[in-house]
Every structure is written in structure tokens, then in C-alpha cells.
Amino acid sequence: MESPRIIAAVARTVRDVAIAEELAQDALVAALEQWPRDGVPDNPGAWLMATARHRAVDLIRRRENYARKLQEIGRDLETTAPPEEPSALRDPDDIDDDLLRLVFTACHPILSPEARIALTLRLLGGLTTPEIARAFLVPEPTVAQRIVRAKRTLATKNVAFEVPYGPDREARLGSVLDVIYLIFNEGYAATAGDDWLRPGLCEDALRLARVLSALMPKEPEVHGLTALLEFQASRAAARTGPSGEPVLLEDQDRRRWNRMLIARGIKALGRADATATGAPGPYALQAAIAACHAHAYTYEDTDWRTIATLYGLLSVRSPSPVVELNRAVAVSMTDGPRAALDIVDAIAAEPALRDYHLLPSVRGDLLARLGRTEQARAEFARAAELTRNEREREMLRRRATETR
């Protein structure tokens, strides 16, 4: 939980995200060694932060291949705390948040879009390389190379740890929104591990989206993303059962949906509509889809026709096989499973979906509704083999067993 904050704060001082990540790891190792013996300090976060700064001095002294500027910073850290910029001198358009500062730095245009997102997910979200690969639907070695090269590029190009202004900020905004969205998604439905939800990631992503929304009140897609995350977060309490097992949308107790978050989502979506000067962007469209679910007090009340239409618009605005797969689900509720199965079969050969467990999961559901139970069971079993989340695997195996 503390790791991204330590990395962000230390990076602001040493101006190198790779070194900052190493210092944060050193501090965490020190905690694992000392806390069992000495007890957990009253303020663990402050202890970790101070330890990371002290380690910076030791590490800089040990390694002669560090740049001269980092040696100077290390000597300064030994005797003085980093000076705080007087509030009166701060730019009113600045972002007073180290985590967001780290996001914008990692999303520098000298990096490819894929590298920007992968690096920030690693540093800010604390995601592992396999988790990021799953989010990208690309091989793990590819993600690992992107992260290593991105760190090296930021260091060799001496990229400043700062928030850009004007056109530079606009140029990085798309990647920043994508990063926040992917971090939330990993918390909303974990790609691997024993837990279906990782609430900490959802909270961090939602907080970042809200801060960004306040910073950029005239950006419709910022409000669209914020609305989407508010709506999705509102369902969190109903998405797992007593033992942590996943609960599908149609089976959720909607009385457990957080109406305050839904109200916030409606307000943010209104701001996205009010600030838009043209057709809605991808995040605003996804938020509108989420709003349809939020407005339905029962699963049967869902306006699937509007949802299918919105997915059609989204497939034009931001085409991808995953969007088409989601559109197929909506179409199945309006035009029946046969029409939806045609859509799914049309994208089944897409390389990005080859190992995507939700493809056979959706296909299994459609086949079951068509009475083709043997094929449905096989699809659910295949989906269970593809997922690396234990809770999801149990649910898919159960669906395979219960399909009759």
C-alpha cells in the first residue's frame, strides 16, 4: 500500500524513477527485517519514507556509476530535508500530488504509449509484470522489456519529475487516463491471485480520477472517466459473496450498491456532457453504459437496447475486440443469443483474444441459452483454464458443472 507513495515522493527528490523504486524496495526489505524484532512503528508510512531517504545516502555512496547530480543530492539528503516550495510561489495550475506527478512523468512523450502505461502501472499501481501483461493482452516478456527500456530512457534523457503545462499536458492526458483506468480495472477484477477484488487499487485510481477532474474542469473525458469509476465502484460491496466468491451482475443484491457513489457518477457524467464540444469520447460512452446499469433497480429493468446502442457507438469511436465482445452481451439481451453468438464468432480469431478467458466465458453463456449444453460446458472449462484468478476459476468450473 505504501510502495507507490514512497516511490513517488523519493522520485520527486532524486529525479529518477528507477532509483526511487529501488530505494522503496530497500525500505520495505528493512521493514521486513526489523519490524518482527522491534515491533511495527506508530507511523509505518513515515518510517518507510525516512528509511528510503536514508538508504538513498548509503546507496549513492556505494555506487560510483550513479550520476554526479545524484551524489550531490545524496549529500544534501544526509543533512537537510528537501525544501518545500512556498505555497505563494506555486503555480495555481500545478498538481500538488506526488502520485499524479509520477503518472505525468512516466507518461512522457519520449516513451511509447504502451511503455508509458506499463511503467506507471508498475510504479503507481504496484502491479506485477504478469498482471500488466494480462491487462494489455500481450506476452509477459514484451511488458518486461517495455518497463526496463522506459526506465532507462527516462534516466538517460534526464526527464524532469514535474507536471507539464499547456500543450504538453494535453499530449500526455490520454495516457494518464488509460493508466488510471487500467489500475482501477485490476482492482475491480484481479487478473491473478486468490482475491477477486483488490479494493486498494480501486481507491487509488478513483482518488486520482477525482483529483484530475478538479484540476481539469473543462476536459470532458476526465469527467467521463471519473463518472465511469464512480459507477463501477458503487457495485463493489455486491460483487462478492460471504466467502469472497464472485457474484455476477444479474445475481447482485442492488440494495448493496452505494447510492452516494452513483449520485457522484451521475454528476460527473453531467459535467462530461456539459463540457463536450463534439461527439462523446470513449470514457464518456462507457460511463453512459454504466449509468444505464446504475439506474436499473433490478436486472430485469436494465435498458439493454440503449446499452447495445452505446456499445455500437463505442465500437466506432474506439474499436477493439473487447468492445465487440461486450456489445455481443448487450445484443444477446435485445436480439437473442443467436445474434450475439454471430458477433462473438466473428471476433473469435482475433489474436488479442486468444488467451482472453472472457471470450469462452461469454460464448459458453450464449451456448447454454441456446441449449447447446455440451459445447457450453467445454467453453466454461476452457475459460477456467485460461484465468489465473482462483476465485474466478472456481466460479467458471462451477458453471461448467451446473450447466445442464
Side-chain angles (χ1 to χ4, degrees):
M1 291 172 61
E2 293 293 336
S3 180
R5 294 172 177 83
I6 297 171
I7 294 172
V10 175
R12 185 177 184 180
T13 301
V14 301
R15 310 287 175 171
D16 188 309
V17 293
I19 296 175
E21 185 179 23
E22 186 170 355
L23 295 175
Q25 292 171 353
D26 285 348
L28 296 172
V29 170
L32 290 173
E33 293 172 345
Q34 297 180 35
W35 291 2
R37 182 187 68 238
D38 303 332
V40 178
D42 293 335
N43 191 330
W47 189 98
L48 289 166
M49 191 68 71
T51 301
R53 291 182 64 245
H54 294 153
R55 295 269 168 164
V57 177
D58 296 337
L59 193 60
I60 290 170
R61 285 176 170 173
R62 288 199 310 268
R63 298 189 173 184
E64 295 180 354
N65 60 331
Y66 275 171
R68 181 177 300 277
K69 64 175 183 177
L70 293 179
Q71 295 175 346
E72 295 172 355
I73 289 173
R75 288 193 293 270
D76 291 341
L77 284 175
E78 187 176 26
T79 57
T80 62
E84 290 295 328
E85 184 180 4
S87 58
L89 300 179
R90 289 176 183 162
D91 190 306
D93 196 32
D94 199 2
I95 303 177
D96 189 18
D97 188 296
D98 282 337
L99 289 175
L100 276 175
R101 195 183 305 272
L102 178 60
V103 172
F104 272 97
T105 300
C107 291
H108 196 281
I110 64 172
L111 304 177
S112 69
E114 295 81 6
R116 299 175 207 169
I117 297 173
L119 177 62
T120 312
L121 284 171
R122 179 71 186 92
L123 297 176
L124 177 70
L127 306 190
T128 64
T129 299
E131 289 169 342
I132 300 172
R134 188 72 170 187
F136 278 138
L137 302 179
V138 295
E140 293 179 20
T142 300
V143 173
Q145 291 174 3
R146 287 175 184 171
I147 294 173
V148 171
R149 289 171 182 169
K151 291 178 182 177
R152 185 183 302 123
T153 299
L154 291 177
T156 56
K157 298 295 184 180
N158 294 319
V159 172
F161 188 69
E162 63 183 7
V163 177
Y165 299 94
D168 290 340
R169 180 180 294 181
E170 302 302 323
R172 298 193 214 177
L173 182 58
S175 290
V176 171
L177 296 181
D178 290 344
V179 165
I180 295 174
Y181 180 58
L182 285 173
I183 291 173
F184 183 91
N185 276 351
E186 181 58 32
Y188 192 70
T191 56
D194 298 326
D195 297 319
W196 172 238
L197 300 179
R198 297 174 66 180
L201 290 179
C202 290
E203 292 167 3
D204 276 344
L206 186 53
R207 183 183 68 84
L208 290 169
R210 288 170 178 168
V211 171
L212 203 59
S213 183
L215 174 76
M216 299 181 169
K218 296 181 180 180
E219 288 290 341
E221 275 293 82
V222 173
H223 297 306
L225 175 64
T226 304
L228 174 61
L229 302 194
E230 299 280 10
F231 285 131
Q232 299 294 75
S234 72
R235 307 179 200 163
R239 295 190 70 245
T240 55
S243 301
E245 70 277 10
V247 178
L248 298 177
L249 181 64
E250 61 188 283
D251 300 321
Q252 290 176 16
D253 181 358
R254 301 193 176 205
R255 294 171 298 181
R256 300 187 65 196
W257 285 9
N258 189 318
R259 292 292 156 184
M260 182 190 71
L261 293 181
I262 290 175
R264 293 180 65 107
I266 293 172
K267 185 176 294 186
L269 183 57
R271 286 194 291 266
D273 293 338
T275 55
T277 56
Y283 288 118
L285 286 171
Q286 291 182 73
I289 292 169
C292 290
H293 291 295
H295 284 301
Y297 284 94
T298 67
Y299 185 75
E300 292 71 25
D301 292 336
T302 306
D303 186 355
W304 289 107
R305 184 70 61 184
T306 297
I307 291 175
T309 300
L310 289 169
Y311 268 122
L313 295 173
L314 183 60
S315 67
V316 174
R317 186 71 172 80
S318 182
S320 82
V322 174
V323 170
E324 278 297 282
L325 186 62
N326 284 314
R327 186 172 75 87
V329 174
V331 168
S332 75
M333 304 302 293
T334 59
D335 301 331
R338 178 69 264 175
L341 190 59
D342 290 340
I343 297 174
V344 173
D345 288 344
I347 60 174
E350 289 283 346
L353 297 180
R354 184 178 295 112
D355 298 321
Y356 191 48
H357 70 283
L358 292 182
L359 174 65
S361 176
V362 169
R363 198 169 188 276
D365 181 68
L366 297 175
L367 290 169
R369 289 166 59 185
L370 289 169
R372 295 159 62 178
T373 54
E374 288 298 327
Q375 292 173 291
R377 280 199 291 271
E379 292 290 349
F380 286 135
R382 178 169 174 262
E385 292 176 359
L386 289 176
T387 184
R388 287 183 287 179
N389 184 281
E390 290 300 325
R391 296 292 188 175
E392 197 169 25
R393 182 178 290 114
E394 292 170 2
M395 177 189 68
L396 290 166
R397 285 174 175 169
R398 185 171 63 252
R399 293 196 72 185
T401 302
E402 294 174 352
T403 300
R404 294 290 183 269

